[in-house]
Amino acid sequence: MIYSYFPGCTLKNKAIDLDIYARRSAELLGITLEELPEWQCCGGVYPLAKDKIATKLSSVRALAASRDAGHDLVTLCSACHNVLKQVNNDMRTDEYIRSRANNYMAPDAEYNGEINVIHYLELLRDTVGFENIKKKVVKPFTGRKIGAYYGCLLLRPGKVMQMDDPENPKILEDFIRAIGGEPVIYAQRNECCGGYATVEDKAYAASRAGKVVDNAAACGADMLITACPLCLYNLNKSNAENKLPVVYFTELLAEALGLKEENDV
Amino acid sequence: MSENNICREDILRISGVDTRKCMRCGKCSATCPAYDEMEYHPHQFVNMVENGDIEALVESPSLFKCLSCFACIDRCPRQVEPAKLVEAVRSACIRRQGHNHLSADAIPAILDPDIPQQALVSAFRKYSE
Ligand code: SF4
Ligand code: SF4
């Protein structure tokens, strides 16, 4: 199976682990990820203002390029996924945005939301299947209590993202079971980590992220997994005594599949 | 029209929100992770825009405390989507000449070398035009 792939700016830099382990695992699972040529940054946040068009165009370009390549588009970073999927929804359902974006870019073929934006986790669940992953695990996380941290962007707005039940998700918990671990359910798993507020107010973001880490620790988790570089950063910053290690879910996937080497990355 | 030349109709147009759908249940503010940091809470944005009380919102630091977490959007039982009002007032505020909340010049002094690129692009999208 071949998919177009949008890594995003952070996965080329601070979050290179998130990317490398995903690519390596995909190969073993029979998935080919073809990075889009010349993709541009998604902007990190979906523009909520109705009259914003220009800030959606980098996403529209990526979506149209994926359509032209003949593949659905796979994302990995929670923020890229949120932006691309919401913009794709606009291109399908909002005539005002669709006509203006197409008029501005004047592509050879208008883009009307023809492709699907698929998060890597959805690929694991719906295309590979967690049962098949389980069969390929060589180093299971037996006995490890792992807290899934969803944050905001994978799940909300629920009616657009449609990954899972936004108030009672289970895709990451099912992933944890597939790699042999024991998922820990805690209330803060789908509440905000403090997000971009950390840029100008570190204490504010740290207090928010601290609530997540404390809650997960109190519920018995001994580590947290996430798909978002900014969540990882905020959770780690608030976690000075290093109560809980926070890692990308793709790192655990690669490790379970026997694809992580000593001194990797 | 407020002293800032930003009127209720501008905010309704930019946000696409119908404030009349609100039934004043307060669920948006109860679920807001920025509640303690905000002077005006999400349900107050809805009320104040409805009443044309825009001036106070435009001047409020609350605009830059919202985390865009979509919790109030998903959990409002009436699909009012208060965060869209916060975004609309913030956009109207920073679109005025000289009102950017964050400038590139400020970054070196506050930059943490570990910070992911994603945080910076997001903050600039939210805090400046
Ligand atoms: S989107 Fe903003 S206003 Fe709404 S709940 Fe989140 S932080 Fe609060
Ligand atoms: S949750 Fe919705 S209906 Fe309730 S106060 Fe907030 S905006 Fe109004």
Side-chain angles (χ1 to χ4, degrees), chain B:
Chain B
M1 187 73 71
S2 72
E3 277 172 42
N4 295 306
N5 283 334
I6 300 167
C7 65
R8 178 174 172 274
E9 284 60 40
D10 292 331
I11 302 305
L12 294 177
R13 178 180 49 77
I14 298 172
S15 66
V17 165
D18 180 357
T19 51
R20 294 168 303 178
K21 289 197 297 192
C22 173
M23 62 179 183
R24 315 255 190 275
C25 68
K27 197 171 178 187
C28 50
S29 294
T31 200
C32 176
Y35 186 90
D36 292 341
E37 302 280 332
M38 287 174 110
E39 172 190 15
Y40 299 115
H41 303 113
H43 77 284
Q44 290 170 291
F45 272 80
V46 180
N47 278 342
M48 290 166 77
V49 172
E50 169 77 10
N51 296 332
D53 197 359
I54 308 296
E55 179 81 15
L57 293 177
V58 173
E59 298 298 332
S60 174
S62 304
L63 296 178
F64 306 101
K65 297 298 179 184
C66 165
L67 301 164
S68 305
C69 72
F70 301 107
C72 60
I73 288 188
D74 257 24
R75 294 171 185 160
C76 166
R78 300 277 295 161
Q79 288 83 47
V80 176
E81 307 190 315
K84 292 187 176 173
L85 290 176
V86 181
E87 179 109 332
V89 180
R90 182 175 49 229
S91 297
C93 169
I94 61 180
R95 282 173 190 177
R96 296 171 301 160
Q97 185 63 252
H99 282 80
N100 274 342
H101 180 68
L102 184 67
S103 86
D105 298 340
I107 292 297
I110 57 173
L111 187 68
D112 171 359
D114 297 333
I115 203 163
Q117 288 71 24
Q118 173 197 355
L120 297 172
V121 295
S122 301
F124 275 106
R125 279 280 163 89
K126 290 288 174 182
Y127 298 157
S128 64
E129 287 280 331

Side-chain angles (χ1 to χ4, degrees), chain A:
Chain A
M1 292 284 269
I2 302 177
Y3 293 89
S4 291
Y5 172 52
F6 183 96
C9 57
T10 311
L11 274 69
K12 289 286 173 187
N13 202 304
K14 294 283 193 247
I16 196 136
D17 300 11
L18 180 56
D19 174 80
I20 283 178
Y21 291 123
R23 290 180 194 250
R24 213 182 274 176
S25 304
E27 256 170 61
L28 185 98
L29 298 170
I31 302 277
T32 306
L33 297 178
E34 287 182 351
E35 183 173 332
L36 285 176
E38 297 175 9
W39 54 267
Q40 299 164 326
C41 174
C42 71
V45 284
Y46 171 76
L48 281 169
K50 281 249 166 271
D51 56 357
K52 279 272 192 177
I53 307 288
T55 45
K56 293 180 175 168
L57 294 178
S58 66
S59 297
V60 178
R61 283 191 193 99
L63 295 163
S66 182
R67 188 267 320 268
D68 295 344
H71 306 303
D72 281 339
L73 183 60
V74 168
T75 54
L76 188 48
C77 165
S78 303
C80 299
H81 181 65
N82 189 280
V83 175
L84 287 162
K85 186 138 186 183
Q86 292 210 68
V87 172
N88 202 37
N89 182 60
D90 287 341
M91 296 302 283
R92 282 181 187 177
T93 61
D94 189 325
E95 180 52 34
Y96 177 86
I97 292 172
R98 178 171 52 221
S99 62
R100 274 157 189 79
N102 278 316
N103 285 347
Y104 183 82
M105 301 199 312
D108 292 337
E110 287 202 353
Y111 182 73
N112 299 306
E114 291 93 339
I115 60 136
N116 298 304
V117 177
I118 302 171
H119 191 268
Y120 191 91
L121 276 167
E122 295 172 312
L123 202 63
L124 296 182
R125 178 189 62 192
D126 305 331
T127 305
V128 180
F130 287 138
E131 280 309 309
N132 290 320
I133 293 175
K134 207 173 194 167
K135 288 181 200 145
K136 295 207 161 94
V137 167
V138 294
K139 267 189 70 188
F141 283 85
T142 314
R144 295 298 298 276
K145 297 189 169 193
I146 305 170
Y149 181 61
Y150 290 89
C152 314
L153 299 175
L154 286 179
L155 301 170
R156 292 192 290 266
K159 67 174 192 278
V160 180
M161 300 315 290
Q162 292 185 1
M163 176 183 282
D164 208 338
D165 177 342
E167 301 303 343
N168 192 19
K170 65 187 186 75
I171 187 168
L172 273 169
E173 283 77 9
D174 289 344
F175 165 76
I176 292 166
R177 284 189 200 97
I179 57 167
E182 188 187 323
V184 173
I185 309 281
Y186 60 104
Q188 290 280 332
R189 69 197 166 121
N190 62 342
E191 303 299 337
C192 183
C193 69
Y196 52 79
T198 186
V199 172
E200 63 162 12
D201 190 345
K202 292 184 174 57
Y204 173 25
S207 80
R208 186 82 277 295
K211 291 197 173 87
V212 174
V213 174
D214 290 348
N215 179 222
C219 292
D222 47 44
M223 72 190 305
L224 290 176
I225 56 169
T226 176
C228 179
L230 184 50
C231 295
L232 182 107
Y233 172 82
N234 280 333
L235 295 177
N236 275 330
K237 285 282 159 179
S238 74
N239 196 2
E241 322 92 82
N242 221 355
K243 247 191 265 176
L244 292 183
V246 187
V247 299
Y248 293 120
F249 77 98
T250 55
E251 182 170 347
L252 294 197
L253 174 63
E255 196 173 336
L257 295 173
L259 299 172
K260 191 179 166 192
E261 289 131 36
E262 283 303 311
N263 306 322
D264 222 354
V265 192

